[in-house]
Amino acid sequence: MADPGTKYDAAIVGGLGHVGLPLAITFADKGLRVCAYDISKEHAELVRRGAMPFIEYGAEPVLKKVLANGMLTISTDPNELSAAKHIIIAIGTPVDEYLNPKTRQFMEIISGLKKHISNSQTIIIRSTVYPNTCRQLYNMLSQNGKEEWHVAYCPERIVQGHSMKELLELPQLVAGFSEKAIKEAGDLFGRISPKIIHVAMGEAELAKLFANAWRYIQFAVTNQFYMIAHSFGTDYNKVRKAMMDGYKRAEAIPTAGFAAGPCLLKDTMQLAAYSGNSFLLGHTAMMVNEGLPHFIVEDIKKRHDIAKAKVGILGMAFKADIDDVRDSLSFKLGKILRFNGAKVYYSDEYAKNPDFVTKEELIKQSDVVIVAVPHSAYKGLAIPKGKEVVDLWDVVKQE
Ligand SMILES: NC(=O)c1ccc[n+]([C@@H]2O[C@H](COP(=O)([O-])OP(=O)(O)OC[C@H]3O[C@@H](n4cnc5c(N)ncnc54)[C@H](O)[C@@H]3O)[C@@H](O)[C@H]2O)c1
């Protein structure tokens, strides 16, 4: 084992993921020696060549710079971890098919790495975790307190695609189980974040989950309003604008649309599981948000013989202007349409898939065009007269 800190100031486990890689690049750009450790050999090869494996605005030029000046090392060898002062954990924390957190998988990965790390390092959890996971991890590492380990939690709160900007702008929550862990994690994140907010461990775990559940519930409210307004024969976008105009108490209401992706639903369900499935608002939000694709299909069925309809879905990523299709509701929409017998076309501006067609081809082939994601490239896109358009965001224009 190398001595901690001899080679790296920080090593990031899951360092080539959506959370780990922008963080690694940002730390390296602030003059820290960083190792991005990951099991993905494919991404390691790509990133070593200076290419981002996914869209993160502004990341690629900085990546090239920190590779060239030697501040960032990409590694698939866990032996490298021992040479870092701090170990940051940024691997995924998924839920299973019954929406329960897969905490054991997370713990087993860290347990498997134990031979490469030591209690002279600070272990900083960056992944979003099920309540009490940090304590469990501390207990596992310290053998229930027999050894002194330094474990901190510094949750990630950025919006995917804009990490490079937000990492330098957002306050950082910091919690830890020892004074050393709290101080070192605070000092480390103080290199990039304008403000460190010290909180207790439970407060940090809940603040992260509550923030995502809050957002998910906000989307559910606006989606439910959309469904009510549409059924009432009104244009929800006009209702929303009228609500917000000069009226501060309503100005936070988001536009209606698919609330998807790898975090919001998952984290709301982690909270639901923690609260003994009594988080009724969380479950209701899931039913509303996950129900939106059904609502859209049922509405189309009122005007079309769906079994004969050709329907195009514009936008397969889980949100605008990124290429990440993880847990995107566009696929659920496509599935429901296909169950009903429709011929379905998919298109996306950024996500690559050999089955996708261009937006022009999709528009040409489809009787109904659904804008599932408001990519900038769809703004003002002309849809010929005679084709039905479902556009919750009001981005395309009918000729
Ligand atoms: N994506 C977001 O916008 C976002 C925002 C805030 C928090 N989070 C949370 O951050 C965590 C990571 O999410 P993500 O979106 O970056 O996931 P991701 O799948 O993009 O990245 C995880 C990375 O971990 C790597 N990995 C998996 N097993 C490993 C192992 N045994 N050793 C080393 N590397 C391993 C994967 O190859 C991958 O590169 C999750 O807990 C998530 O909930 C994500």
Side-chain angles (χ1 to χ4, degrees), residues 92-108 128-133 136 209 262-263 265-277 283:
T93 45
V95 288
D96 68 15
E97 65 272 40
Y98 305 108
L99 302 175
N100 295 308
K102 290 165 95 171
T103 345
R104 191 191 296 175
Q105 186 188 36
F106 179 78
M107 300 298 287
E108 280 174 359
T128 306
V129 294
Y130 183 71
N132 269 333
T133 300
Q136 278 185 41
L209 291 176
C263 290
L265 169 62
K266 183 234 343 167
D267 292 343
T268 306
M269 288 304 106
Q270 300 215 68
L271 261 184
Y274 181 72
S275 61
N277 289 316
H283 278 289

Side-chain angles (χ1 to χ4, degrees), residues 216-217 219-220 223 257-259 284-293 329:
Y216 192 62
I217 291 168
F219 285 130
N223 284 336
F258 290 161
T284 308
M286 176 179 76
M287 286 166 70
V288 174
N289 289 329
E290 292 283 311
L292 186 57
L329 278 175

Side-chain angles (χ1 to χ4, degrees), residues 55-290:
I55 291 179
E56 260 307 328
Y57 292 99
E60 212 158 83
V62 194
L63 168 65
K64 287 186 167 61
K65 181 177 139 195
V66 293
L67 286 172
N69 67 18
M71 299 312 284
L72 178 64
T73 303
I74 309 301
S75 179
T76 54
D77 178 4
N79 286 306
E80 289 296 292
L81 297 178
S82 65
K85 188 171 177 211
H86 306 295
I87 301 291
I88 301 172
I89 313 287
I91 53 176
T93 45
V95 288
D96 68 15
E97 65 272 40
Y98 305 108
L99 302 175
N100 295 308
K102 290 165 95 171
T103 345
R104 191 191 296 175
Q105 186 188 36
F106 179 78
M107 300 298 287
E108 280 174 359
I109 292 177
I110 316 294
S111 164
L113 291 173
K114 202 177 166 187
K115 54 183 174 291
H116 303 291
I117 58 180
S118 73
N119 61 354
S120 54
Q121 297 169 307
T122 310
I123 314 299
I124 302 171
I125 300 154
R126 185 70 168 162
S127 309
T128 306
V129 294
Y130 183 71
N132 269 333
T133 300
C134 295
R135 169 62 67 185
Q136 278 185 41
L137 188 100
Y138 171 79
N139 288 344
M140 186 266 287
L141 291 172
S142 70
Q143 299 179 59
N144 293 319
K146 282 194 205 116
E147 287 173 16
E148 193 187 13
W149 277 73
H150 303 287
V151 174
Y153 181 43
C154 299
E156 170 72 271
R157 297 191 296 169
I158 51 96
V159 56
Q160 203 172 308
H162 302 278
S163 309
M164 298 302 292
K165 187 169 173 282
E166 291 201 350
L167 280 170
L168 302 175
E169 290 176 354
L170 292 184
Q172 178 62 53
L173 302 183
V174 173
F177 290 123
S178 65
E179 273 180 26
K180 181 178 181 241
I182 294 167
K183 176 166 187 335
E184 297 213 332
D187 288 350
L188 179 69
F189 277 93
R191 298 287 292 262
I192 58 171
S193 176
K195 184 176 178 186
I196 301 295
I197 301 174
H198 289 286
V199 278
M201 189 57 83
E203 291 164 2
E205 288 182 341
L206 287 187
K208 171 63 204 175
L209 291 176
F210 283 173
N212 275 3
W214 166 240
R215 193 85 185 121
Y216 192 62
I217 291 168
Q218 282 183 316
F219 285 130
V221 171
T222 202
N223 284 336
Q224 182 97 73
F225 285 168
Y226 164 80
M227 292 186 241
I228 294 170
H230 191 79
S231 305
F232 191 57
T234 50
D235 179 339
Y236 177 59
N237 278 320
K238 288 188 180 156
V239 178
R240 181 175 162 270
K241 272 189 199 135
M243 279 165 70
M244 293 164 69
D245 193 349
Y247 191 68
K248 278 196 177 313
R249 283 186 289 278
E251 73 185 7
I253 187 160
T255 47
F258 290 161
C263 290
L264 297 189
L265 169 62
K266 183 234 343 167
D267 292 343
T268 306
M269 288 304 106
Q270 300 215 68
L271 261 184
Y274 181 72
S275 61
N277 289 316
S278 64
F279 182 25
L280 301 183
L281 272 175
H283 278 289
T284 308
M286 176 179 76
M287 286 166 70
V288 174
N289 289 329
E290 292 283 311

